[in-house]
Amino acid sequence: MKSFTTHTGLVVAMDRANIDTDQIIPKQFLKRIERTGFGEFLFWDWSQLDDGSPNPDFELNRPEAADASILLARRNFGCGSSREHAPWALEDYGFRVIIAPSFADIFYNNCFKNSMLPIRLSEETVEELFSRAAKHPGYQLTADLNSCTLSDDHGFSTPIEVDAFRRQNLLKGLDDIGLTLEHEKEITAYEAAHGITAS
Amino acid sequence: MANSASGPRTLFQKIWDNHVVHAEEGRQTILYVDLQLVHEVTSAQAFEGLRLAGRSVRRAERTIATADHNVPTTDRNLPILDLVSKKQIDTLRDNCKEFGIKHYDLNDPNQGIVHVIGPELGYTQPGMTIVCGDSHTSTHGAFGALAFGIGTSEVEHVLATQTLLQSLPKTLELQVNGQLHNGVTAKDLVLYLIGQITTDGGTGYCIEYTGETIRSLSMENRMTVCNMTIEGGARAGMIAPDETTYEYLRGRQFVPNDFDAAVERWKQLPGDQDATYDKSLSYNAADIAPQVTWGTNPGLVAPVNGNVPKPSDFADPTDQKTAAGALDYMGLQGGEPICDLKIDRVFIGSCTNGRIEDLREAAKAAEGKKVSDHVSAMVVPGSGQVKLQAEAEGLDRIFKEAGFEWREAGCSMCLAMNPDKLAPGERCASTSNRNFEGRQGKGGRTHLVSPAMAAAAAVAGHFVDIREWK
Ligand code: SF4
């Protein structure tokens, strides 16, 4: 897994709550058996008009959003399906950080497995970021996982909370499976104690 | 917190404690997984990951697989026309073969939606930890198991290690007491609860459903409730096992050989008398009317005898904006009586409501009647076994005579990944679990209801209050 230490990037604001994984990557793209190449299908139904041309009103299609790598949204981001295709699509498109007042559990977890940092902030702080993004053209934020802060160049700075274990894994780009297998003896002992044997 | 407290414990805490392989301050706990269910859509990349890393499957006998999401529900003897779907289904078959995993293939009489076949075959048992790369894994919690959906990286983790890294969730008790009105089902109950707690009210929690109303539900109805737990934001929902659970399981194919001894063990699982939850909420079953969703998430729901709300009915500005967007997508103004909404399509099926009791309820509402001229309606059994049972009871005949299509088992129009989908603008009464934008086809408008409400709506051509249906 790629590591994540610090990231500075352009912010795109999506003023919507409950953005579900069906919107992030619609089902017709889940038939693929690869893990990459989902970025071009990100938010497919919102990003296109009925005739298949790009929807100029969609947040990510606006010229000023090109190259955005930080996504700002409202509460309950990533609700719905467990499909990891959702973080795959976001990551493949170029996002590294997602900021919202709350995230659905499975999505939140899936982000960490894909070197993306989901940041939970209070409703008020998110509101503040929406207004800053509206005020400053080309608005950028820096997420620093070493110091656990999120800041901009205009005097904004807030601490971010990340579970210590996930933070370490992200900083070092560690592979969860490899880490767990360091405890293989304990797994074997658990199986022995519970009468679990190969059938 | 790496460990739950000693002293009186809830059902959840007991199952958690029983599965801890390694706990350490500042780390996620390594939890043993008893059973993994696998389907075609979220597994290919996990198997590929194993191959790339040169890893094997640790306990192949603790995983079962089936294809359900992508499969056609028309004649199974015909080739699958969508070649990308076919490749995914073939890939699952090949992977299972390579790694020695039991696979219920398309022509197996036990094929079906993964959350229907797990319980049906007796794989799902009380006290287990059960995972699947699918958010509706919460279904299995109905048996007093800890069951939740995971991502594909985690599917790979479980295949390789038979464990999962987990942080201890908080516990939320949803207690329901009193008697449900005639015609009000488990589906209405759970839609009502989601409407109350909202779609993210359960985030970070594991829910336990308690109270006399829950206890009085059949196993299949309990599965409907737990199935939709994820729509309230909680990954897992559970119901303590009792005689209803044991009777359902007795005699099923994969239950323990010494069943009575297993029952004695399972009897230790229900929460201790004085165990407490992080949060408890209680509700009265008598307050619940048949429910119909009007918006684009399952929490946007109203009683069938009510009206579609207006954005101004909500206090919070984000909720107002969500409601306005939902009404726009659904082609509604706000203020319409729910019963006036005309429908074009009906879908009866899914892991929420595709089991035999659901089909019986729907057939009862449709018996001797005709599907409205302007409605096209389909019934898709949740599994091959459900289909056989329904046919043995003559339910297929009732449906066909009324003008419903009778299909093969699969997810079908619950997520419209196969050819079953809504056209833009079509309005559908659906017994599935998600009414997200485009869920049943781009531009399609989904209203979630119970099986009987869906069948009655198919006949009437609009929503009807099932309590007044004759
Ligand atoms: S029936 Fe629907 S919700 Fe259930 S597993 Fe299939 S697609 Fe998912």
Side-chain angles (χ1 to χ4, degrees), chain B residues 136-216:
Chain B
H136 292 99
T137 309
S138 57
T139 311
H140 308 265
F143 291 79
L146 174 58
F148 49 87
I150 56 176
T152 297
S153 297
E154 293 176 307
V155 170
E156 184 182 336
H157 190 284
V158 178
L159 288 170
T161 70
Q162 203 56 44
T163 69
L164 200 57
L165 294 169
Q166 284 292 295
S167 309
L168 189 68
K170 291 177 285 183
T171 53
L172 167 63
E173 177 190 27
L174 295 183
Q175 187 179 106
V176 191
N177 288 305
Q179 204 176 350
L180 291 168
H181 293 288
N182 255 343
V184 177
T185 66
K187 181 65 164 291
D188 304 297
L189 167 67
V190 69
L191 283 171
Y192 173 86
L193 292 176
I194 296 164
Q196 297 290 313
I197 68 168
T198 77
T199 48
D200 59 351
T203 304
Y205 288 98
C206 171
I207 295 179
E208 183 175 344
Y209 300 92
T210 66
E212 61 192 41
T213 316
I214 301 294
R215 294 257 76 86
S216 70

Side-chain angles (χ1 to χ4, degrees), chain B residues 39 68-69 113-115 134-136 227 231 349-352 410-412 414-415 432-434 439:
Chain B
H39 65 83
D68 52 5
H69 283 63
I113 304 171
V114 70
H115 309 308
D134 189 283
S135 59
H136 292 99
N227 173 274
E231 310 307 333
S350 86
C351 59
T352 312
C411 294
S412 178
C414 172
L415 97 161
S432 55
N433 43 47
R434 280 192 181 136
R439 173 79 179 179

Side-chain angles (χ1 to χ4, degrees), chain B residues 180-312:
Chain B
L180 291 168
H181 293 288
N182 255 343
V184 177
T185 66
K187 181 65 164 291
D188 304 297
L189 167 67
V190 69
L191 283 171
Y192 173 86
L193 292 176
I194 296 164
Q196 297 290 313
I197 68 168
T198 77
T199 48
D200 59 351
T203 304
Y205 288 98
C206 171
I207 295 179
E208 183 175 344
Y209 300 92
T210 66
E212 61 192 41
T213 316
I214 301 294
R215 294 257 76 86
S216 70
L217 296 176
S218 70
M219 237 19 251
E220 296 199 354
N221 282 312
R222 292 179 189 186
M223 284 189 249
T224 301
V225 172
C226 289
N227 173 274
M228 290 203 64
T229 300
I230 181 71
E231 310 307 333
R235 290 170 74 184
M238 44 175 49
I239 295 174
D242 58 13
E243 288 306 320
T244 305
T245 320
Y246 314 138
E247 281 322 300
Y248 175 95
L249 284 172
R250 192 181 292 279
R252 291 191 186 259
Q253 196 177 352
F254 292 98
V255 296
N257 287 336
D258 192 348
F259 190 78
D260 291 324
V263 168
E264 288 313 307
R265 285 198 309 277
W266 296 338
K267 283 184 176 166
Q268 310 303 314
L269 288 166
D272 299 326
Q273 190 94 76
D274 299 320
T276 54
Y277 303 85
D278 291 303
K279 190 168 159 186
S280 285
L281 299 167
S282 60
Y283 301 91
N284 186 349
D287 294 342
I288 305 173
Q291 305 282 307
V292 181
T293 64
W294 53 268
T296 51
N297 73 54
L300 302 178
V301 64
V304 63
N305 52 350
N307 296 343
V308 176
K310 297 192 165 100
S312 57

Side-chain angles (χ1 to χ4, degrees), chain A residues 15-18 20-23 27-36 38 44-46 48-50 59 74-76 79-85 88 102-106 109-110 113-114 120 123 127 163-166 169 175-184 186-191 194-199, chain B residues 18-22 24 26-28 30 32 34 41-42 44-45 55 58-59 61-62 70 82 84-85 87-88 91 132-135 149-154 156-157 160-163 165-167 199-200 202-205 230-231 233-235 296-297 316 318-319 321-322 415-417 434 436-442:
Chain A
D15 192 359
R16 310 176 190 230
N18 304 311
D20 59 75
T21 52
D22 279 69
Q23 305 316 318
K27 63 257 177 168
Q28 61 269 36
F29 307 112
L30 308 187
K31 297 178 182 178
R32 306 173 69 245
I33 55 171
E34 297 82 21
R35 206 178 173 120
T36 51
F38 288 96
W44 185 257
D45 287 352
W46 285 346
Q48 315 226 337
L49 296 174
D50 286 344
E59 291 91 327
R74 299 289 181 181
R75 73 176 79 120
N76 200 24
C79 60
S81 149
S82 64
R83 59 188 72 161
E84 199 161 316
H85 311 66
W88 293 339
S102 61
F103 293 87
D105 287 337
I106 307 177
N109 204 29
N110 280 340
K113 315 277 179 198
N114 291 282
R120 267 192 294 245
E123 296 264 1
E127 188 61 50
D163 166 85
F165 180 62
R166 284 170 166 148
N169 291 359
D175 161 29
D176 278 353
I177 299 179
L179 278 181
T180 297
L181 287 176
E182 289 174 10
H183 297 274
E184 195 173 0
E186 286 162 87
I187 302 174
T188 306
Y190 179 95
E191 290 177 331
H194 290 79
I196 297 166
T197 49
S199 56
Chain B
N18 283 347
H19 290 85
V20 173
V21 170
H22 178 86
E24 179 185 326
R27 284 194 56 143
Q28 286 183 300
I30 302 178
Y32 200 77
D34 292 318
V41 176
T42 56
Q45 294 88 347
R55 289 177 175 134
R58 184 177 176 88
R59 289 276 170 232
E61 71 283 2
R62 291 192 167 244
N70 246 322
D82 181 337
V84 196
S85 290
K87 181 158 184 213
Q88 200 171 51
T91 301
C132 173
D134 189 283
S135 59
I150 56 176
T152 297
S153 297
E154 293 176 307
E156 184 182 336
H157 190 284
T161 70
Q162 203 56 44
T163 69
L165 294 169
Q166 284 292 295
S167 309
T199 48
D200 59 351
T203 304
Y205 288 98
I230 181 71
E231 310 307 333
R235 290 170 74 184
T296 51
N297 73 54
D316 176 277
T318 300
D319 290 344
K321 195 160 183 248
T322 301
L415 97 161
M417 211 170 152
R434 280 192 181 136
F436 295 156
E437 288 184 25
R439 173 79 179 179
Q440 296 193 291
K442 188 175 181 188

Side-chain angles (χ1 to χ4, degrees), chain B residues 65 124 220 357:
Chain B
T124 302
E220 296 199 354
E357 290 178 16

Side-chain angles (χ1 to χ4, degrees), chain B residues 323-339:
Chain B
L327 290 173
D328 182 50
Y329 179 86
M330 294 295 286
L332 299 169
Q333 306 289 314
E336 298 93 336
I338 299 262
C339 283

Side-chain angles (χ1 to χ4, degrees), chain A residues 3-7 69-71 91 95-100 103 107-108 110-120 142-146 148-150 160-163 166-167 170-171:
Chain A
S3 64
F4 184 111
T5 46
T6 176
H7 176 77
S69 59
I70 300 183
L71 181 61
E91 202 265 346
F95 285 110
R96 300 301 313 277
V97 176
I98 304 167
I99 304 168
F103 293 87
F107 176 84
Y108 185 79
N110 280 340
C111 284
F112 287 97
K113 315 277 179 198
N114 291 282
S115 313
M116 279 197 298
L117 181 63
I119 302 179
R120 267 192 294 245
T142 297
D144 186 340
L145 194 57
N146 276 311
C148 286
T149 50
L150 180 72
I160 54 180
E161 252 179 66
V162 193
D163 166 85
R166 284 170 166 148
R167 174 169 170 268
L170 213 46
L171 282 171

